[in-house]
Amino acid sequence: AAALQATAEAGRHVEKADAADWVEDRFADAGTPGRVRVLMHTIVWQYLPAGTQARIEAAIRAAGSRATTAAPVAWLRIEPDGVKGSAGVRLTTWPDGQTHLLGRADYHGRWHHWGSAE
């Protein structure tokens, strides 16, 4: 309740929707010049069904394929990646489509370490 109240006070709103439907809807158009569209998620991927993951990934990659330097797309995620006790902080940006490991983080946000051994 407190989080929803703080969100409302900040002039934001929470939307209830299927995750894949929401991403497909928000990333369907070409974007707005001068703005970066960002899909950000943290410690959720493992809880989504494979079909939902595939739809989200397809939608963000399709948006990336339409991205321009004037209207880029970014996918920022903090998700488990097989390294015990931490999650990878990864950023993919388009129009170049490059993915970078930015660092590692605790699953609950208690700590983070920037930098990678890429």
Side-chain angles (χ1 to χ4, degrees):
L4 291 172
Q5 179 68 29
T7 300
E9 290 171 2
R12 304 287 183 212
H13 66 280
V14 175
E15 297 178 20
K16 182 178 180 179
D18 173 83
D21 289 345
W22 190 93
V23 173
E24 289 167 347
D25 183 58
R26 295 308 180 286
F27 287 86
D29 65 21
T32 303
R35 291 191 177 185
V36 179
R37 288 184 299 159
V38 180
L39 174 62
M40 189 276 179
H41 55 84
T42 177
I43 315 299
V44 69
W45 203 249
Q46 65 195 355
Y47 300 111
L48 299 175
T52 300
Q53 291 175 353
R55 285 177 57 202
I56 291 170
E57 186 164 353
I60 195 70
R61 291 193 184 284
S65 74
R66 295 185 302 273
T68 65
T69 54
V73 171
W75 186 11
L76 177 62
R77 55 221 184 261
I78 306 169
E79 298 292 348
D81 59 1
V83 176
K84 187 176 169 114
S86 68
V89 181
R90 285 187 168 67
L91 176 66
T92 305
T93 56
W94 289 273
D96 66 2
Q98 296 294 311
T99 299
H100 302 279
L101 177 63
L102 303 178
R104 307 220 53 87
D106 173 72
Y107 296 143
H108 302 285
R110 294 173 290 212
W111 57 263
H112 61 273
H113 299 291
W114 297 113
S116 69
E118 284 188 299

